[in-house]
Amino acid sequence: MFDESKKKFLLHSCCAPCSVAIIDELKDQFDLTVFFYNPNIFPLEEYLKRKTEVMRVCGDCKVPVVDMDYEADQWHGKVAEGLENVEEGGERCSLCFRFRLAKSAEYAAKNSFEFFGSSLTSGRNKKAEVINPIGQEFAKLYKINFFDVDWKTGGRQEKGSRIASTKNIYRQNYCGCKFSLPKNI
Ligand code: SF4
């Protein structure tokens, strides 16, 4: 990976297990800040649990975190309304990616970050070919750069699993919104 030391990078983190290897990789290459904006997560207790774990990882790595608001009603109105029964990976998920990446790009541009990226492509079922074009679109809109890596590649997923297990990081068993909860919960 190229040397971009000193450049400001805002990394949207969806959760700690998906982000830990990315933070470890980027913290030495960039002036890194982590951005927690995930109003999709339901219920509130789960949201707080995931956020606490991201804060813990960032504390260990000495990386600052921006803790955005839990705009769950806005997320529901703009993303899920009418799409409650759509299968995971469908239109609701694309809107969910857009919702979070739009806010990340807007914050990055307003706060003079040169790069932004997201841990979203780390997820086993998350397609980089869906997520990265959305990031590029907002990068263009806000005139910044999007780091369009598929974070599942290059052994990062395995590295993330190793670190997560060493640090005993909480690993959830569903994507995040109430519509992705396992049926037996
Ligand atoms: S399943 Fe995951 S990506 Fe899809 S809408 Fe729910 S939280 Fe968002």
Side-chain angles (χ1 to χ4, degrees), residues 69-116:
D69 295 337
Y70 182 54
E71 300 170 329
D73 289 345
Q74 285 186 39
W75 179 87
H76 193 276
K78 289 201 172 157
V79 173
E81 197 92 54
L83 298 173
E84 292 87 346
N85 299 318
V86 171
E87 295 242 329
E88 194 169 330
E91 192 186 349
R92 189 187 65 241
C93 296
S94 295
L95 288 173
C96 183
F97 304 144
R98 290 187 74 80
F99 190 85
R100 290 181 279 167
L101 290 174
K103 182 73 99 182
S104 308
E106 183 189 19
Y107 184 93
K110 277 189 183 158
N111 291 279
S112 309
F113 284 85
E114 289 150 289
F115 287 87
F116 87 108

Side-chain angles (χ1 to χ4, degrees), residues 5-126:
S5 55
K6 308 294 177 226
K7 295 208 167 169
K8 286 182 72 179
F9 191 121
L10 189 76
L11 176 71
H12 166 260
S13 165
C14 58
C15 64
C18 279
S19 309
V20 69
I22 308 173
I23 294 169
D24 187 64
E25 180 173 329
L26 296 181
K27 71 179 171 32
D28 298 325
Q29 299 179 43
F30 292 92
D31 177 3
L32 183 66
T33 297
V34 165
F35 188 73
F36 193 82
Y37 181 65
N38 299 293
N40 51 310
I41 302 171
F42 178 90
L44 177 62
E45 295 71 30
E46 175 73 15
Y47 169 81
L48 294 173
K49 203 169 178 180
R50 294 191 197 184
K51 184 168 79 173
T52 300
E53 288 295 74
V54 169
M55 299 281 193
R56 180 161 74 90
V57 165
C58 291
D60 287 351
C61 297
K62 301 194 174 22
V63 169
V65 190
V66 177
D67 176 13
M68 293 302 282
D69 295 337
Y70 182 54
E71 300 170 329
D73 289 345
Q74 285 186 39
W75 179 87
H76 193 276
K78 289 201 172 157
V79 173
E81 197 92 54
L83 298 173
E84 292 87 346
N85 299 318
V86 171
E87 295 242 329
E88 194 169 330
E91 192 186 349
R92 189 187 65 241
C93 296
S94 295
L95 288 173
C96 183
F97 304 144
R98 290 187 74 80
F99 190 85
R100 290 181 279 167
L101 290 174
K103 182 73 99 182
S104 308
E106 183 189 19
Y107 184 93
K110 277 189 183 158
N111 291 279
S112 309
F113 284 85
E114 289 150 289
F115 287 87
F116 87 108
S118 173
S119 61
L120 282 168
T121 62
S122 285
R124 219 173 297 276
N125 303 318
K126 299 288 179 292

Side-chain angles (χ1 to χ4, degrees), residues 40 50 88 92 173-183:
N40 51 310
R50 294 191 197 184
E88 194 169 330
R92 189 187 65 241
N173 66 346
Y174 67 104
C175 184
C177 66
K178 70 167 93 168
F179 315 109
S180 64
L181 276 164
K183 299 285 179 258

